Amino acid sequence: MNKSFLLIAAITFVTINLFSQPITNHQSPITIKDVWARPGAKNANSALYFVVQNNGSKADTILGAKSKYAEIVEVHESFKRDNDRMGMRQVKFVAVAANSKLEFKPGGFHVMLINLLKDVKAGTSLDATINFKFAGKIKVKAVVQEMPGM
Ligand SMILES: [Cu+2]
Protein backbone atom coordinates (compact mmCIF):
# COMPACT_ATOMS: atom_id res chain seq x y z
CA MET A 1 0.00 0.00 0.00
CA ASN A 2 1.49 3.36 -0.92
CA LYS A 3 1.06 6.62 0.97
CA SER A 4 -1.34 8.29 -1.49
CA PHE A 5 -3.73 5.35 -1.23
CA LEU A 6 -3.76 5.63 2.55
CA LEU A 7 -4.29 9.37 2.30
CA ILE A 8 -7.25 8.96 -0.07
CA ALA A 9 -8.67 6.24 2.18
CA ALA A 10 -8.32 8.51 5.21
CA ILE A 11 -9.94 11.47 3.45
CA THR A 12 -12.78 9.27 2.20
CA PHE A 13 -13.33 7.90 5.69
CA VAL A 14 -13.46 11.38 7.22
CA THR A 15 -15.67 12.74 4.44
CA ILE A 16 -18.19 9.90 4.72
CA ASN A 17 -18.39 10.35 8.48
CA LEU A 18 -18.67 14.11 8.18
CA PHE A 19 -21.52 14.04 5.70
CA SER A 20 -23.39 11.10 7.11
CA GLN A 21 -23.62 12.68 10.55
CA PRO A 22 -26.53 15.05 9.92
CA ILE A 23 -28.58 12.02 8.90
CA THR A 24 -27.51 9.50 11.54
CA ASN A 25 -27.62 12.06 14.34
CA HIS A 26 -30.90 13.58 13.27
CA GLN A 27 -33.10 13.77 16.34
CA SER A 28 -36.80 13.87 15.74
CA PRO A 29 -38.63 16.33 18.03
CA ILE A 30 -41.49 13.81 18.11
CA THR A 31 -41.58 11.01 20.66
CA ILE A 32 -44.34 8.52 21.23
CA LYS A 33 -44.75 6.88 24.62
CA ASP A 34 -47.20 4.90 26.77
CA VAL A 35 -48.32 2.88 23.77
CA TRP A 36 -51.00 0.29 24.43
CA ALA A 37 -53.66 -1.59 22.52
CA ARG A 38 -56.87 -3.32 23.49
CA PRO A 39 -56.93 -7.10 23.26
CA GLY A 40 -59.04 -8.52 20.44
CA ALA A 41 -59.75 -11.80 18.71
CA LYS A 42 -58.96 -12.51 15.08
CA ASN A 43 -61.48 -10.76 12.78
CA ALA A 44 -62.55 -8.42 15.60
CA ASN A 45 -61.28 -4.86 16.06
CA SER A 46 -58.78 -3.29 18.41
CA ALA A 47 -57.54 0.22 19.05
CA LEU A 48 -54.14 1.70 19.70
CA TYR A 49 -53.51 4.52 22.18
CA PHE A 50 -50.41 6.54 22.99
CA VAL A 51 -49.04 9.92 23.98
CA VAL A 52 -47.35 12.06 21.33
CA GLN A 53 -44.83 14.58 22.60
CA ASN A 54 -43.67 17.28 20.21
CA ASN A 55 -40.60 19.00 21.65
CA GLY A 56 -40.00 20.93 18.45
CA SER A 57 -40.80 24.55 17.68
CA LYS A 58 -42.70 23.45 14.58
CA ALA A 59 -46.12 21.80 14.44
CA ASP A 60 -46.36 18.36 12.88
CA THR A 61 -49.26 16.32 11.57
CA ILE A 62 -50.18 12.66 11.93
CA LEU A 63 -51.15 11.45 8.47
CA GLY A 64 -51.94 7.83 9.21
CA ALA A 65 -50.78 4.57 10.72
CA LYS A 66 -49.92 1.07 9.63
CA SER A 67 -49.79 -2.31 11.30
CA LYS A 68 -49.46 -5.80 9.96
CA TYR A 69 -51.81 -6.98 12.71
CA ALA A 70 -54.96 -5.64 11.06
CA GLU A 71 -56.46 -5.61 7.59
CA ILE A 72 -57.34 -1.91 7.83
CA VAL A 73 -55.71 0.71 10.03
CA GLU A 74 -57.36 4.12 10.37
CA VAL A 75 -56.93 7.16 12.59
CA HIS A 76 -60.24 7.82 14.35
CA GLU A 77 -61.78 10.30 16.71
CA SER A 78 -64.61 9.62 19.09
CA PHE A 79 -67.40 12.17 19.30
CA LYS A 80 -70.72 12.60 21.05
CA ARG A 81 -73.75 11.99 18.88
CA ASP A 82 -77.02 13.92 19.20
CA ASN A 83 -78.51 11.25 21.43
CA ASP A 84 -75.53 11.49 23.77
CA ARG A 85 -74.15 8.20 22.54
CA MET A 86 -70.55 8.03 21.44
CA GLY A 87 -69.69 7.53 17.82
CA MET A 88 -66.41 7.51 15.97
CA ARG A 89 -65.24 8.60 12.60
CA GLN A 90 -62.09 8.50 10.53
CA VAL A 91 -59.91 11.60 10.41
CA LYS A 92 -57.47 12.26 7.59
CA PHE A 93 -54.95 14.03 9.80
CA VAL A 94 -54.32 15.07 13.39
CA ALA A 95 -52.32 18.22 14.09
CA VAL A 96 -49.68 18.08 16.83
CA ALA A 97 -48.88 21.63 17.90
CA ALA A 98 -45.32 22.78 18.59
CA ASN A 99 -44.08 22.17 22.14
CA SER A 100 -47.14 20.21 23.12
CA LYS A 101 -48.43 16.84 24.16
CA LEU A 102 -51.33 15.06 22.47
CA GLU A 103 -52.99 12.05 23.99
CA PHE A 104 -54.64 9.27 22.00
CA LYS A 105 -57.02 7.78 24.57
CA PRO A 106 -60.38 6.04 24.94
CA GLY A 107 -63.12 8.54 24.10
CA GLY A 108 -60.76 10.60 21.97
CA PHE A 109 -58.29 10.03 19.16
CA HIS A 110 -57.25 6.44 18.55
CA VAL A 111 -55.74 4.29 15.86
CA MET A 112 -58.42 1.79 14.86
CA LEU A 113 -57.24 -1.69 14.00
CA ILE A 114 -60.04 -3.12 11.87
CA ASN A 115 -60.36 -6.84 11.25
CA LEU A 116 -57.43 -8.23 13.21
CA LEU A 117 -55.47 -10.78 11.24
CA LYS A 118 -54.67 -12.78 14.37
CA ASP A 119 -55.60 -12.91 18.04
CA VAL A 120 -54.16 -9.98 19.95
CA LYS A 121 -53.88 -11.18 23.52
CA ALA A 122 -53.31 -9.27 26.73
CA GLY A 123 -49.71 -9.58 27.86
CA THR A 124 -48.32 -9.64 24.33
CA SER A 125 -47.20 -6.73 22.19
CA LEU A 126 -48.17 -5.33 18.84
CA ASP A 127 -46.08 -3.38 16.33
CA ALA A 128 -47.33 -0.40 14.39
CA THR A 129 -46.00 2.63 12.55
CA ILE A 130 -47.32 6.14 12.97
CA ASN A 131 -46.75 8.38 9.95
CA PHE A 132 -45.99 12.06 10.48
CA LYS A 133 -45.77 14.76 7.84
CA PHE A 134 -42.35 15.95 9.02
CA ALA A 135 -41.04 13.38 11.49
CA GLY A 136 -41.78 10.56 9.04
CA LYS A 137 -42.63 7.02 10.06
CA ILE A 138 -42.18 6.30 13.75
CA LYS A 139 -42.28 2.69 14.90
CA VAL A 140 -44.11 1.88 18.11
CA LYS A 141 -44.55 -1.27 20.16
CA ALA A 142 -47.85 -1.42 22.01
CA VAL A 143 -48.45 -3.34 25.21
CA VAL A 144 -51.66 -5.28 24.77
CA GLN A 145 -53.81 -4.79 27.86
CA GLU A 146 -57.19 -3.74 29.12
CA MET A 147 -57.29 -0.10 30.33
CA PRO A 148 -53.87 0.72 31.86
CA GLY A 149 -53.79 0.94 35.62
CA MET A 150 -56.72 -1.44 36.02
CU1 LIG B 1 -62.46 3.85 16.02
Side-chain angles (χ1 to χ4, degrees):
M1 252 188 270
N2 59 37
K3 277 182 183 166
S4 60
F5 174 84
L6 285 174
L7 187 66
I8 289 166
I11 289 169
T12 307
F13 178 78
V14 169
T15 308
I16 289 171
N17 279 283
L18 220 63
F19 287 96
S20 62
Q21 266 190 356
I23 298 160
T24 51
N25 281 355
H26 177 71
Q27 271 284 318
S28 169
I30 302 282
T31 52
I32 302 177
K33 57 177 188 172
D34 301 336
V35 190
W36 66 283
R38 289 183 190 276
K42 187 182 177 188
N43 297 126
N45 298 340
S46 175
L48 192 68
Y49 307 98
F50 46 83
V51 177
V52 184
Q53 178 76 47
N54 183 1
N55 289 323
S57 54
K58 186 169 77 169
D60 207 336
T61 307
I62 295 173
L63 300 173
K66 273 188 177 170
S67 177
K68 63 181 190 316
Y69 285 75
E71 186 194 3
I72 300 164
V73 180
E74 294 176 351
V75 178
H76 280 190
E77 67 175 343
S78 300
F79 66 102
K80 205 168 251 185
R81 292 183 185 279
D82 294 339
N83 55 13
D84 250 20
R85 289 194 184 187
M86 293 299 284
M88 59 183 177
R89 58 195 163 203
Q90 188 182 5
V91 288
K92 291 292 178 195
F93 54 85
V94 179
V96 184
N99 292 301
S100 74
K101 191 171 87 170
L102 180 67
E103 224 175 317
F104 274 53
K105 59 184 176 189
F109 289 117
H110 56 277
V111 170
M112 199 80 206
L113 302 169
I114 300 165
N115 195 16
L116 293 170
L117 299 174
K118 48 186 152 186
D119 289 342
V120 173
K121 291 182 178 148
T124 64
S125 65
L126 177 156
D127 298 304
T129 305
I130 315 298
N131 190 22
F132 289 80
K133 186 176 180 182
F134 298 115
K137 294 178 171 69
I138 297 180
K139 285 182 182 171
V140 297
K141 194 179 260 302
V143 175
V144 179
Q145 59 183 356
E146 302 293 346
M147 291 280 283
M150 292 185 110

